[in-house]
Amino acid sequence: ALRRAQSRFEVVFLESFNEAARNEEASRRAKLLQGMVKRHKWPLHLREFKVAAHTRAAGSRIGELDLRLRTGAFIMAQQRGGVTVFAPGREAPVFPDDELMLLGTREQLEAAARLLGEETGDAPEEEGFLMEQVFVAHDSPLAGESLAGIGVRRQYGVTVAGVQRGETQHISPGPDFIIKSGDILLVAGEVDS
């Protein structure tokens, strides 16, 4: 009976210890994220671009524009006739009067506007669109994987707009970018995604 009581006591102690460790890790992660957010402002902006009939964008597919590769900016949403599609696929056609929501630094957005053929203006607030920061824990299955390998956009419908690694910000990282534990991912997409 004494052995059972001692064994039960050990199980309860280990469960309590593990729960305390999990809570401490979550608290540490939240404090780290808050500190990083306060110290490192993301220089990213949203801009709306209305596609004119005479531009290179009209009649193209999003993938054909190679916007992210050529300018660093990328298309977060496409609106046509009052319908908004967040994270449109590479095969999505672009028509005159479509409104594209672009994300990037001011310089990237200016380059994208020149490439697409028209000046951009500030984007209105979009309901249902959100940018969040996600901490990559030491035991995360994302650690050690490339952005292409994890397929965040394909799987979840969100885009990794930037990665904070220590003091360094990687804006608009490419598909071969390797995620490491401790990274903070800036992801953007629909609230549900």
Side-chain angles (χ1 to χ4, degrees), residues 89-185:
R90 293 183 53 79
E91 295 301 314
V94 179
F95 296 115
D97 296 325
D98 278 2
E99 293 178 9
L100 304 177
M101 185 182 296
L102 307 175
L103 179 69
T105 64
R106 292 196 190 282
E107 296 80 16
Q108 291 169 339
L109 293 171
E110 288 172 14
R114 284 191 303 273
L115 179 68
L116 295 172
E118 183 177 318
E119 295 284 326
T120 60
D122 288 331
E125 290 294 319
E126 283 285 339
E127 289 186 32
F129 180 79
L130 183 66
M131 291 181 66
E132 282 287 329
Q133 297 188 57
V134 179
F135 181 80
V136 179
H138 73 281
D139 58 348
S140 171
L142 303 180
E145 296 290 329
S146 69
L147 286 175
I150 61 174
V152 169
R153 189 169 193 163
R154 181 182 67 252
Q155 229 175 346
Y156 302 105
V158 298
T159 300
V160 177
V163 177
Q164 179 80 41
R165 181 173 290 156
E167 298 292 320
T168 306
Q169 290 179 333
H170 302 273
I171 297 171
S172 190
D176 58 342
F177 186 89
I178 304 296
I179 297 171
K180 295 184 178 179
S181 62
D183 284 352
I184 298 172
L185 308 181

Side-chain angles (χ1 to χ4, degrees), residues 46 49 51 60-68 73-80 83-95 98-103 116 126 129 152-159 188-190 193:
L46 286 171
F49 177 85
V51 178
S60 298
R61 296 195 181 278
I62 287 180
E64 295 169 345
L65 296 173
D66 274 334
L67 198 62
R68 190 169 187 173
F74 51 94
I75 298 170
M76 294 304 306
Q78 179 180 23
Q79 185 173 25
R80 180 181 306 139
V83 176
T84 302
V85 175
F86 292 97
R90 293 183 53 79
E91 295 301 314
V94 179
F95 296 115
D98 278 2
E99 293 178 9
L100 304 177
M101 185 182 296
L102 307 175
L103 179 69
L116 295 172
E126 283 285 339
F129 180 79
V152 169
R153 189 169 193 163
R154 181 182 67 252
Q155 229 175 346
Y156 302 105
V158 298
T159 300
E190 288 184 85
S193 299

